[in-house]
Amino acid sequence: MNKKKVLVSSLLIFISFLLICGGVSAQVTYHPSLTHKTGSLAYEHTKYLANEIGQRIAGSENERLAEQYIFNQFKQMGFETEVQEFTYVRRGAEFKSSNVIAYKPGKSKQQIIVGAHYDSVSVGKGVDDNASGVGVMLETAKVLEKIKTPYSIVFIAFGAEEVGLQGSNYYASKMTEAEIANTISMINLDSLAVGDHMYVHGSAGEDGFLRDQALAIAAKKKIDLQINPGLNPAYPAGTTGDWSDHAPFKRLGIPYAYFEATNWEIGEQDGYDQTADHGGIWHTSNDTLEFIEATYPGRIQKHLTAYSTVLTDLLKFANKTSTAK
């Protein structure tokens, strides 16, 4: 046999093996029983993104691995799913990233956008910021997989949030006037795992209707979900700043709700100091499962369970003015 043909055949077999292994690593499946214990599936997604993939720096190979993982999770649910590629320039260099978009049709063609960024910074492993938000989004999507929600839902995992909200800015910039008018609200999930208190923020005035409904659901479920108390006059009670993925949608006039875990009563009372004991966990080497679980036993599970419960009911009953049934 020709040695060149043997070499080519060997290379093809090797490449096929790599592709198969790569596909297996991205196509993770979870036992269906996890959906019956609220918060468990969110925890598994959070753990996989943080520990199996690790740091997901914008524009990196690990960010791409996270994109593939999230894409495959949505595809397994049977949703119409696509990857929206984009480029951005930072410090004179061009980078590539993407948004993962999954569409769930509802009883109405009017839609709610649910988003969470999947990239992280270069310290820690991005458990809190923001594997936790992605985990809650993926669990909620799975729980609602076969439930006919009152509104259609667009689930979006945003890339490159940590370098200037690149993914959410890009998605919002591509929305048509008709799509904007058809979107009743955007729900943002960012850093849910470790803060001292669980919050839901929202648009000012009547546009904060989903925040108010989330609070009513939480009260009925006996979940301690709070609002920013407004101690800092720069951020009136119930609202927040424009530093996360809700901001581009807010600029379009789309009402928002924003879930986060932090502490608005300490430091500069701007939500940046998440914990009284250790200050901010996000963007530090403490943003790992090992540190969070050793320092705050049970907190991740409690938060993921609470947020998954509230978000699921919020999407199931978003057309109601009362709490969940």
Short mmCIF file of all heavy atoms in Angstrom, two decimals, residues 10-46:
data_model
loop_
_atom_site.label_atom_id
_atom_site.label_comp_id
_atom_site.label_asym_id
_atom_site.label_seq_id
_atom_site.Cartn_x
_atom_site.Cartn_y
_atom_site.Cartn_z
N SER A 10 -4.60 7.47 8.18
CA SER A 10 -4.38 7.59 9.61
C SER A 10 -4.79 8.95 10.13
O SER A 10 -5.41 9.08 11.20
CB SER A 10 -2.92 7.32 9.95
OG SER A 10 -2.55 6.02 9.55
N LEU A 11 -4.44 9.97 9.36
CA LEU A 11 -4.81 11.33 9.76
C LEU A 11 -6.32 11.51 9.79
O LEU A 11 -6.87 12.14 10.69
CB LEU A 11 -4.18 12.35 8.81
CG LEU A 11 -2.68 12.61 9.00
CD1 LEU A 11 -2.14 13.48 7.87
CD2 LEU A 11 -2.42 13.28 10.34
N LEU A 12 -6.99 10.96 8.77
CA LEU A 12 -8.46 11.08 8.72
C LEU A 12 -9.10 10.39 9.91
O LEU A 12 -10.06 10.88 10.51
CB LEU A 12 -8.99 10.49 7.41
CG LEU A 12 -8.73 11.33 6.15
CD1 LEU A 12 -9.15 10.57 4.90
CD2 LEU A 12 -9.45 12.67 6.22
N ILE A 13 -8.58 9.20 10.26
CA ILE A 13 -9.12 8.48 11.42
C ILE A 13 -8.91 9.28 12.69
O ILE A 13 -9.80 9.41 13.54
CB ILE A 13 -8.46 7.09 11.55
CG1 ILE A 13 -8.89 6.20 10.38
CG2 ILE A 13 -8.81 6.43 12.88
CD1 ILE A 13 -8.11 4.90 10.27
N PHE A 14 -7.71 9.86 12.82
CA PHE A 14 -7.39 10.65 14.01
C PHE A 14 -8.28 11.88 14.12
O PHE A 14 -8.81 12.19 15.19
CB PHE A 14 -5.91 11.06 13.98
CG PHE A 14 -5.48 11.88 15.15
CD1 PHE A 14 -5.44 11.33 16.42
CD2 PHE A 14 -5.12 13.21 15.00
CE1 PHE A 14 -5.05 12.08 17.52
CE2 PHE A 14 -4.73 13.97 16.10
CZ PHE A 14 -4.69 13.40 17.35
N ILE A 15 -8.46 12.58 12.99
CA ILE A 15 -9.32 13.77 12.99
C ILE A 15 -10.75 13.39 13.33
O ILE A 15 -11.43 14.08 14.10
CB ILE A 15 -9.25 14.48 11.62
CG1 ILE A 15 -7.85 15.11 11.44
CG2 ILE A 15 -10.32 15.56 11.50
CD1 ILE A 15 -7.59 15.59 10.03
N SER A 16 -11.23 12.28 12.77
CA SER A 16 -12.59 11.83 13.07
C SER A 16 -12.74 11.52 14.55
O SER A 16 -13.75 11.86 15.17
CB SER A 16 -12.92 10.57 12.25
OG SER A 16 -12.87 10.85 10.87
N PHE A 17 -11.70 10.91 15.12
CA PHE A 17 -11.73 10.61 16.56
C PHE A 17 -11.84 11.88 17.38
O PHE A 17 -12.62 11.97 18.33
CB PHE A 17 -10.47 9.84 16.94
CG PHE A 17 -10.33 9.60 18.42
CD1 PHE A 17 -11.08 8.62 19.05
CD2 PHE A 17 -9.45 10.36 19.18
CE1 PHE A 17 -10.96 8.41 20.41
CE2 PHE A 17 -9.33 10.15 20.54
CZ PHE A 17 -10.07 9.17 21.15
N LEU A 18 -11.05 12.91 17.00
CA LEU A 18 -11.10 14.18 17.72
C LEU A 18 -12.48 14.82 17.61
O LEU A 18 -13.01 15.37 18.58
CB LEU A 18 -10.04 15.14 17.17
CG LEU A 18 -8.57 14.80 17.50
CD1 LEU A 18 -7.64 15.81 16.83
CD2 LEU A 18 -8.34 14.78 18.99
N LEU A 19 -13.05 14.76 16.41
CA LEU A 19 -14.37 15.37 16.21
C LEU A 19 -15.43 14.65 17.04
O LEU A 19 -16.30 15.28 17.64
CB LEU A 19 -14.74 15.34 14.72
CG LEU A 19 -13.96 16.30 13.81
CD1 LEU A 19 -14.30 16.03 12.36
CD2 LEU A 19 -14.25 17.75 14.18
N ILE A 20 -15.32 13.32 17.06
CA ILE A 20 -16.29 12.55 17.84
C ILE A 20 -16.15 12.89 19.32
O ILE A 20 -17.12 13.14 20.02
CB ILE A 20 -16.09 11.03 17.61
CG1 ILE A 20 -16.52 10.67 16.19
CG2 ILE A 20 -16.89 10.22 18.63
CD1 ILE A 20 -16.11 9.26 15.78
N CYS A 21 -14.90 12.94 19.80
CA CYS A 21 -14.67 13.26 21.21
C CYS A 21 -15.16 14.66 21.53
O CYS A 21 -15.78 14.90 22.56
CB CYS A 21 -13.19 13.15 21.54
SG CYS A 21 -12.60 11.44 21.55
N GLY A 22 -14.88 15.59 20.61
CA GLY A 22 -15.34 16.96 20.82
C GLY A 22 -16.84 17.05 20.87
O GLY A 22 -17.42 17.75 21.70
N GLY A 23 -17.51 16.27 19.97
CA GLY A 23 -18.96 16.29 19.96
C GLY A 23 -19.55 15.73 21.23
O GLY A 23 -20.52 16.24 21.77
N VAL A 24 -18.91 14.65 21.74
CA VAL A 24 -19.40 14.05 22.97
C VAL A 24 -19.28 15.03 24.13
O VAL A 24 -20.18 15.17 24.94
CB VAL A 24 -18.61 12.75 23.27
CG1 VAL A 24 -18.94 12.25 24.67
CG2 VAL A 24 -18.94 11.68 22.25
N SER A 25 -18.15 15.75 24.20
CA SER A 25 -17.94 16.67 25.31
C SER A 25 -18.94 17.80 25.30
O SER A 25 -19.28 18.33 26.34
CB SER A 25 -16.52 17.25 25.27
OG SER A 25 -16.35 18.06 24.12
N ALA A 26 -19.40 18.19 24.11
CA ALA A 26 -20.34 19.30 24.01
C ALA A 26 -21.78 18.82 24.20
O ALA A 26 -22.64 19.59 24.60
CB ALA A 26 -20.20 20.00 22.66
N GLN A 27 -22.06 17.55 23.89
CA GLN A 27 -23.43 17.04 23.95
C GLN A 27 -23.65 16.27 25.25
O GLN A 27 -23.80 15.05 25.26
CB GLN A 27 -23.72 16.19 22.72
CG GLN A 27 -23.68 17.01 21.44
CD GLN A 27 -24.23 16.24 20.26
OE1 GLN A 27 -24.96 15.27 20.42
NE2 GLN A 27 -23.89 16.67 19.06
N VAL A 28 -23.64 17.01 26.33
CA VAL A 28 -23.86 16.42 27.64
C VAL A 28 -25.35 16.23 27.87
O VAL A 28 -26.15 17.11 27.56
CB VAL A 28 -23.26 17.33 28.74
CG1 VAL A 28 -23.48 16.74 30.11
CG2 VAL A 28 -21.78 17.56 28.47
N THR A 29 -25.72 15.07 28.41
CA THR A 29 -27.12 14.83 28.74
C THR A 29 -27.24 14.63 30.25
O THR A 29 -26.32 14.18 30.91
CB THR A 29 -27.66 13.59 28.02
OG1 THR A 29 -26.86 12.46 28.37
CG2 THR A 29 -27.63 13.79 26.51
N TYR A 30 -28.42 14.97 30.77
CA TYR A 30 -28.68 14.86 32.20
C TYR A 30 -29.93 14.01 32.42
O TYR A 30 -30.84 14.00 31.59
CB TYR A 30 -28.88 16.25 32.81
CG TYR A 30 -27.63 17.11 32.73
CD1 TYR A 30 -27.49 18.06 31.73
CD2 TYR A 30 -26.60 16.95 33.65
CE1 TYR A 30 -26.34 18.84 31.64
CE2 TYR A 30 -25.46 17.72 33.57
CZ TYR A 30 -25.33 18.66 32.56
OH TYR A 30 -24.19 19.42 32.48
N HIS A 31 -29.95 13.32 33.55
CA HIS A 31 -31.08 12.44 33.84
C HIS A 31 -32.35 13.28 33.99
O HIS A 31 -32.34 14.32 34.66
CB HIS A 31 -30.82 11.65 35.12
CG HIS A 31 -31.73 10.47 35.27
ND1 HIS A 31 -33.02 10.58 35.76
CD2 HIS A 31 -31.55 9.15 34.98
CE1 HIS A 31 -33.59 9.39 35.77
NE2 HIS A 31 -32.72 8.51 35.31
N PRO A 32 -33.46 12.84 33.38
CA PRO A 32 -34.72 13.61 33.45
C PRO A 32 -35.20 13.89 34.87
O PRO A 32 -35.91 14.87 35.10
CB PRO A 32 -35.72 12.70 32.71
CG PRO A 32 -34.88 11.87 31.80
CD PRO A 32 -33.58 11.65 32.52
N SER A 33 -34.81 13.05 35.83
CA SER A 33 -35.27 13.25 37.20
C SER A 33 -34.78 14.57 37.80
O SER A 33 -35.38 15.08 38.75
CB SER A 33 -34.81 12.09 38.09
OG SER A 33 -33.39 12.06 38.17
N LEU A 34 -33.72 15.14 37.25
CA LEU A 34 -33.20 16.41 37.78
C LEU A 34 -34.22 17.53 37.65
O LEU A 34 -34.21 18.47 38.44
CB LEU A 34 -31.91 16.79 37.05
CG LEU A 34 -30.66 16.00 37.41
CD1 LEU A 34 -29.50 16.37 36.50
CD2 LEU A 34 -30.28 16.22 38.88
N THR A 35 -35.10 17.44 36.66
CA THR A 35 -36.10 18.50 36.47
C THR A 35 -37.16 18.47 37.55
O THR A 35 -37.92 19.44 37.68
CB THR A 35 -36.78 18.38 35.09
OG1 THR A 35 -37.45 17.12 34.99
CG2 THR A 35 -35.77 18.52 33.97
N HIS A 36 -37.23 17.38 38.33
CA HIS A 36 -38.25 17.28 39.37
C HIS A 36 -37.77 17.81 40.72
O HIS A 36 -38.53 17.87 41.68
CB HIS A 36 -38.71 15.83 39.52
CG HIS A 36 -39.29 15.26 38.26
ND1 HIS A 36 -40.38 15.82 37.63
CD2 HIS A 36 -38.92 14.19 37.50
CE1 HIS A 36 -40.66 15.12 36.54
NE2 HIS A 36 -39.80 14.13 36.44
N LYS A 37 -36.50 18.19 40.78
CA LYS A 37 -35.96 18.78 41.99
C LYS A 37 -35.42 20.16 41.62
O LYS A 37 -34.31 20.29 41.13
CB LYS A 37 -34.87 17.91 42.60
CG LYS A 37 -34.38 18.42 43.95
CD LYS A 37 -33.33 17.51 44.55
CE LYS A 37 -32.86 18.06 45.90
NZ LYS A 37 -31.78 17.22 46.48
N THR A 38 -36.23 21.17 41.85
CA THR A 38 -35.91 22.52 41.38
C THR A 38 -34.53 22.96 41.85
O THR A 38 -34.18 22.81 43.02
CB THR A 38 -36.97 23.52 41.87
OG1 THR A 38 -38.27 23.04 41.51
CG2 THR A 38 -36.73 24.90 41.26
N GLY A 39 -33.76 23.50 40.93
CA GLY A 39 -32.42 23.98 41.22
C GLY A 39 -31.33 22.98 40.91
O GLY A 39 -30.17 23.36 40.71
N SER A 40 -31.67 21.69 40.86
CA SER A 40 -30.65 20.66 40.65
C SER A 40 -30.04 20.72 39.25
O SER A 40 -28.82 20.60 39.09
CB SER A 40 -31.25 19.26 40.89
OG SER A 40 -31.65 19.12 42.23
N LEU A 41 -30.87 20.88 38.25
CA LEU A 41 -30.36 20.96 36.88
C LEU A 41 -29.56 22.25 36.68
O LEU A 41 -28.51 22.24 36.04
CB LEU A 41 -31.51 20.87 35.89
CG LEU A 41 -31.16 20.72 34.41
CD1 LEU A 41 -30.23 19.52 34.19
CD2 LEU A 41 -32.42 20.56 33.57
N ALA A 42 -30.05 23.34 37.26
CA ALA A 42 -29.31 24.60 37.19
C ALA A 42 -27.93 24.44 37.81
O ALA A 42 -26.93 24.97 37.29
CB ALA A 42 -30.08 25.71 37.90
N TYR A 43 -27.85 23.71 38.91
CA TYR A 43 -26.57 23.48 39.57
C TYR A 43 -25.63 22.67 38.68
O TYR A 43 -24.44 22.98 38.57
CB TYR A 43 -26.78 22.76 40.90
CG TYR A 43 -25.49 22.50 41.66
CD1 TYR A 43 -24.95 23.48 42.48
CD2 TYR A 43 -24.81 21.30 41.52
CE1 TYR A 43 -23.76 23.26 43.17
CE2 TYR A 43 -23.62 21.07 42.19
CZ TYR A 43 -23.10 22.05 43.01
OH TYR A 43 -21.91 21.83 43.66
N GLU A 44 -26.15 21.63 38.03
CA GLU A 44 -25.30 20.81 37.16
C GLU A 44 -24.76 21.62 35.99
O GLU A 44 -23.59 21.48 35.61
CB GLU A 44 -26.09 19.60 36.65
CG GLU A 44 -26.43 18.58 37.72
CD GLU A 44 -25.20 18.03 38.43
OE1 GLU A 44 -24.17 17.77 37.74
OE2 GLU A 44 -25.26 17.86 39.66
N HIS A 45 -25.60 22.48 35.40
CA HIS A 45 -25.12 23.34 34.31
C HIS A 45 -24.05 24.31 34.83
O HIS A 45 -23.03 24.52 34.16
CB HIS A 45 -26.28 24.14 33.72
CG HIS A 45 -27.26 23.33 32.94
ND1 HIS A 45 -26.88 22.48 31.92
CD2 HIS A 45 -28.62 23.24 33.01
CE1 HIS A 45 -27.97 21.91 31.39
NE2 HIS A 45 -29.02 22.35 32.05
N THR A 46 -24.30 24.88 35.98
CA THR A 46 -23.34 25.81 36.57
C THR A 46 -22.00 25.13 36.80
O THR A 46 -20.93 25.66 36.47
CB THR A 46 -23.88 26.36 37.91
OG1 THR A 46 -25.10 27.06 37.67
CG2 THR A 46 -22.88 27.31 38.56
#
